[in-house]
Amino acid sequence: MKNRIFFKLLAVFLIVIAATAATLDVMLGSAWESSLRTEIERNLTQKTQLFAHRVENDRAHSLTEIAAQEALAAGARATIIDASGKVLADSESDPASMENHAARKEFAAALTGQTGKNERRSATLGIPFLYVAVPVSGGAVRLAYPLSDVEAVQAQVNRRLIWGSTIALFLALLIAASASIWTSRRLEHIVDVAVRIEQGDLRARVEDRPLDEIGRVAAAIDKTAGQVERSFAAVRSSQRQLETLLNSMQDAVIAVSSDGLVQWANQPMDRLVPQHTRLNAPVVETIRDPDFLAAVKAATTTKQVKTTRATSIVPGRAFDVTAAPLPDGGAVAVLRDLTETERVEKTRRDFIANVSHELRTPLTSIQGYSETLLDVSSENFGPNREFLEIIRKNAARMARLTEDLLTLARVESGETRFDTEPVPPIELLHDAEESFREIARGQEVDLQIVETNVVETNEDHGSVETLPSVRADREAIHQVFSNLIDNAMKYGRSGGRILLGARPAKRGVEFGVEFYVQDFGAGISSEHLPRLFERFYRVDKARSRESGGTGLGLAIAKHIMLAHGGSIRAESELNHGSTFLFTLPTA
Ligand code: ADP
């Protein structure tokens, strides 16, 4: 019901006004009645005293005459009794026929010398009378005033009061009704505005004057609506900025809810899939790539960033997918098109491989002929022999470089197939040590394997646990060891000792075996460590070149390790030697 407040207010006003009118009526009526009675009583007492005075002093008239005259003057019944209560005169009846009046309450009081008063119904006339008796010598006098007149006046007064109250009530109701209408209209307006704001119309305002509490409520609602409108505008603006930013990106972005529905996608994402993204539709309807879906799901459930490579989103194109969890569940995935990058990368690798391959034959021939010339006879050349030597040395260096470049290009491109098999770590260490034993001895370096094969000795059962076999391609790992030991000889020979070893390594949840090559030479300062495995990165260029280095050894080692699912790193401190460590997964 729309006017509920109006009717409530009106009902309250009605009750209050009616109660006030009724209370006023009753109080006014009774106050008026009691003052009238007091007045009559006082009047009658005075008249009775005058009556008594006359009885005492008027010797000219008989008692009966006096009673008749006083009754007439007072408009009341006059009675005179003697001290025994016997009626001596009465204005209405014959005293002889009247009973003894000594027991009448007013007379009883008067006979004891006081003014007696009483109000009661007359036994003879049946109407209420006010009796006042005053003592006289040898008896008492009394005036009796009929109260029926007073009651008639009272009834009339009451009628007028009720009429007056009814008119006042009506007028008050009119005023109350208009006040209620005014108040309820203001409240209804506030309710209407609140409903509009709730439905999203943030520009709705009450605009009431702040005269009273309702006005203040209206002002507070207007102020709150203003603040909400401003905050909403700010949020909308930053949302639009974000959308523009995301749409202008080259990468495709898609947000997925925790139950796998598309929440949002940018324009590049829309262009990527032929069927376009549909909001609130399952993401699997748009992108069916299992790697992408797994990454999104993993990011949602584990709350961690997941990356993967997806190749079946668009046929013939590869994407790098990064899925990050969203704070309120779900995930946002960024898809970077790798096709072009990979194509360029492949072209570069192919080019390097081709160039290296093409250079091989002429270099071998330069090397061969310069060596032949040097072998023929030293006298024939005289001082030119030195030039010939330089040609041979540089041809050899170029051959090494092309060889390393070719190896690196093949490993990187995945062209080189690794035949992995379970190999006991100790065998890999022995292979490496064997092939460098003579060279080390020639350079007076002590090359040894640290006894690491035993992991732990279980004393209770007397058994010995050895390192588990690793999954490795013997040839390739031999190449890694060769590069590392070769470096240790070149740069760490001053330490006079090279240690080879293997130990258990924890890699994520899986176990692996960590191999290391440790030297005690000059070491590498820490700023070089992160870049050491980049191709052509050399700490001391001149020294590397002089010792026949190509700057590719560690890069090759790194790519071989990556192809094995392993990792490689270096630990070193200047003047405290270096340790190169690589980890292979267990078989
Ligand atoms: P290079 O053919 O120059 O030896 P690498 O890739 O094998 O190329 O090594 C890169 C650089 O790392 C080297 O030039 C050298 O400065 C540094 N390096 C490698 N191993 C060691 C080591 N054991 N001690 C000190 N420096 C080293």
Side-chain angles (χ1 to χ4, degrees), residues 412-431:
E412 244 187 311
S413 67
E415 198 183 307
T416 310
R417 290 261 155 258
F418 293 108
D419 296 324
T420 55
E421 52 176 337
V423 190
I426 196 71
E427 285 184 19
L428 293 171
L429 289 168
H430 278 306
D431 283 355

Side-chain angles (χ1 to χ4, degrees), residues 483-484 487-488 490-492 519 522-524 532 534 537-540 544-545 548-555 578 580:
N483 291 1
L484 297 182
N487 281 349
K490 281 192 292 193
Y491 309 108
D519 69 61
I524 308 158
L532 225 48
E534 289 174 16
Y537 188 84
R538 280 164 288 194
V539 176
D540 183 344
S544 160
R545 209 167 286 140
T550 59
L552 293 172
L554 290 180
S578 330
F580 284 80

Side-chain angles (χ1 to χ4, degrees), residues 480-551:
V480 174
F481 265 122
S482 302
N483 291 1
L484 297 182
I485 299 171
D486 189 41
N487 281 349
M489 301 269 234
K490 281 192 292 193
Y491 309 108
R493 197 186 326 150
S494 55
R497 198 153 61 102
I498 295 169
L499 300 180
L500 310 181
R503 61 190 167 211
K506 202 166 161 35
R507 241 181 15 126
V509 254
E510 276 178 65
F511 276 101
V513 174
E514 187 173 64
F515 295 85
Y516 60 91
V517 176
Q518 188 177 10
D519 69 61
F520 300 87
I524 308 158
S525 66
S526 59
E527 76 262 24
H528 296 293
L529 291 179
R531 302 196 56 194
L532 225 48
F533 296 91
E534 289 174 16
R535 47 175 89 85
F536 296 116
Y537 188 84
R538 280 164 288 194
V539 176
D540 183 344
K541 271 204 165 81
R543 173 133 188 243
S544 160
R545 209 167 286 140
E546 180 198 313
S547 55
T550 59

